[in-house]
Structures are given as C-alpha cells and as structure tokens.
Amino acid sequence: MKFTKMHGAGNDYIYINCFDEALPCRPEKLAPLISNRHFGIGSDGLVLICASKDADARMRMFNSDGSESEMCGNAIRCVAKYIYDHKICRKTPLTIETGAGILDLDCIVERDKVVRVRVDMGIPILEPEKIPTLLRMKDAPETDPIVDLPFSAGDRSFKVCAVSMGNPHCITFVDEVNDDWVYRIGPMVENSPQFPRRVNAEFVKVLSRTELQMRVWERGTGETLACGTGACAVAVAAILSGRTDRKMIIHLPGGDLEIEWEEGGSVSMSGPAVEVFSGEIFPEKLY
C-alpha cells in the first residue's frame, strides 16, 4: 500500500490515496500501528482520501488511538494540496466532504504546487447539546454558549469555554501555557464526564487583541504541534469572551495559523500544507 506523509503546521498524518489504493479493511486498527513513532511510520494519525458523490474528494481521519474523528483542520489543508498536486482535481476552490459536512478550500499555488490553503470551516456550533457537553451556564437558557464557566480537573479550578467546529473543544485561557496544563490537566479534561464524546483541550495565552499562543491536548492522540479546528474554536471563544478582535494570528508549536470569524458567519482558517515523503507499507506485516 502506497502512502504519503504530510503535515500542516507540524500536525502530521499518513495519507492513503483511495482513488488508486484499495480502502484499508480495518483503518481503525491500521492507524495506531502506522502512527507509532518507533515501530511504524510515525504520525498523529491516518487520513484516507476517498471519492465523494457530492464533493471533489472525501476525507476520513483516524486518530493515533484508532478512533475516527469528524474533522481536522490541518489534515484537510493537506488533502487539498494532495488532490491538486497529484492531479486528482486541478481546480481551486476545492470541495472536500468530511464528517462535519462539505467544506470549501481556496488553494494558493506557486510553481504549480499548493503552498498554502484557506479553509471555510463553517459556522461554529455553540449550543451545549450539539457540541456535545453536559455543561450549562448558570441561570441561563440551555442553548446559551459556554463562556468562562467554572470547571475543575484534579486539584485545579479554572474557567472554560466550549465550542464545536464539527468536533468538540474545551478552551481554557491561562496566564502561561505550560506542560502542567497540557500533560496533566489535558487528559483529565479530554476524559471528563461533562463531555460524552471526549473533547480536545486547548490552553491559551492572550498576547494582544490580534495574537494568541496556544497548545492543545487532542482527543485520541495527545499533544500535537497544531490543531486547525482547535485554533478556530479558540478564536471563537476569545471573541465571545471579549478578549480579541475578529481576526487574529494563533501561534502553535508547529507554526502559525490565521483565523477570522465574520460576525454571524463562518470561521476561516489559513495555513501551510507540506508534503514530506512517500513510500510503501505492507499492512499485513504490522498486524
């Protein structure tokens, strides 16, 4: 089975071109094996690039623990680059079907290769039941957004915001983004019973009205160098809580993402997409 390794701001996945390759029979079993950074190829997960009846391509994304996720903002930029660069569909904008719906992507092309992609990430989901979360704002309608709600994990008490960008996110604004927040509190937040489908946990420092620093503990994977849906969710939370303007740069360990949220409209994200290398694996030897 041929594969290509790609990354968006350091968030790396193994991509299988299912236009040419047979669909893996057990992708949920394959993902942890090839994602292993010592005994496999090494990645944050597995992405299948498939045909779609309603879009230019369909993306299926599996975390490194084998769980399937609805959406990944960094991975979808790489899917757009792959299908353009490998001549599956030579146009821009592109449409890609995901578990969170069909998204539009504008490709920036230099020397016949995509170098950067802008994604219309859709309208953020703020109703607690649809995120989903059991959290509710005190003395407010059950449909009100979760903004700076008191929360606790371990010995820490802090405030959180909850947003879905097709997948669930729990955002905490902190004075300093450090390992204690990410590695100790992150897994507790991910597995909190307040989030029935688990949750991605973002920890964010506000640098200015247009600039944030962020790290993320991703559901089913652990810390990654970037999270596109997470950056969008962070931007929404920062705007709703009055911390920033509607357009900002978010600094992640793997690079920067540009996020903008139109009032009452969609969130857009711009960032890099990079092809690292290609090769061939023999799945039967991994099992």
Side-chain angles (χ1 to χ4, degrees), residues 23-51:
L23 185 72
C25 60
R26 292 186 295 167
E28 74 282 357
K29 299 292 185 183
L30 180 61
L33 297 173
I34 65 172
S35 297
N36 190 292
R37 296 190 184 276
H38 298 287
F39 298 101
I41 302 168
S43 68
D44 291 326
L46 169 68
V47 173
L48 307 180
I49 305 173
C50 308

Side-chain angles (χ1 to χ4, degrees), residues 148-226:
D148 288 339
L149 183 69
F151 189 88
S152 61
D155 58 354
R156 290 254 195 175
S157 295
F158 46 97
K159 293 181 179 180
V160 300
C161 302
V163 177
S164 172
M165 291 302 306
N167 56 354
H169 296 271
C170 180
I171 302 99
T172 303
F173 293 95
V174 298
D175 293 332
E176 292 296 333
V177 182
N178 55 40
D179 287 352
D180 186 66
W181 279 114
V182 177
Y183 292 117
R184 188 169 69 88
I185 303 301
M188 297 182 193
V189 175
E190 176 195 359
N191 294 289
S192 167
Q194 298 295 332
F195 296 94
R197 296 182 190 167
R198 297 187 294 164
V199 73
N200 301 283
E202 284 83 21
F203 302 96
V204 187
K205 179 179 180 179
V206 178
L207 303 177
S208 73
R209 297 285 304 178
T210 58
E211 201 171 3
L212 302 174
Q213 177 195 358
M214 163 190 154
R215 287 173 65 181
V216 58
W217 180 270
E218 284 206 49
R219 176 184 60 167
T221 300
E223 185 178 24
T224 59
L225 296 182

Side-chain angles (χ1 to χ4, degrees), residues 116-137:
R116 195 170 181 86
V117 180
R118 181 182 181 275
V119 189
D120 182 341
M121 298 288 285
I123 297 174
I125 298 167
L126 302 174
E127 293 182 34
E129 184 178 1
K130 295 180 180 180
I131 289 175
T133 178
L134 303 180
L135 297 173
R136 297 292 186 274
M137 295 295 286

Side-chain angles (χ1 to χ4, degrees), residues 76-77 80 92-96 103-107 117-119:
I76 199 171
R77 295 200 312 275
T92 184
L94 291 162
T95 56
I96 297 178
L103 301 182
D104 296 322
L105 299 94
D106 288 307
C107 300
V117 180
R118 181 182 181 275
V119 189

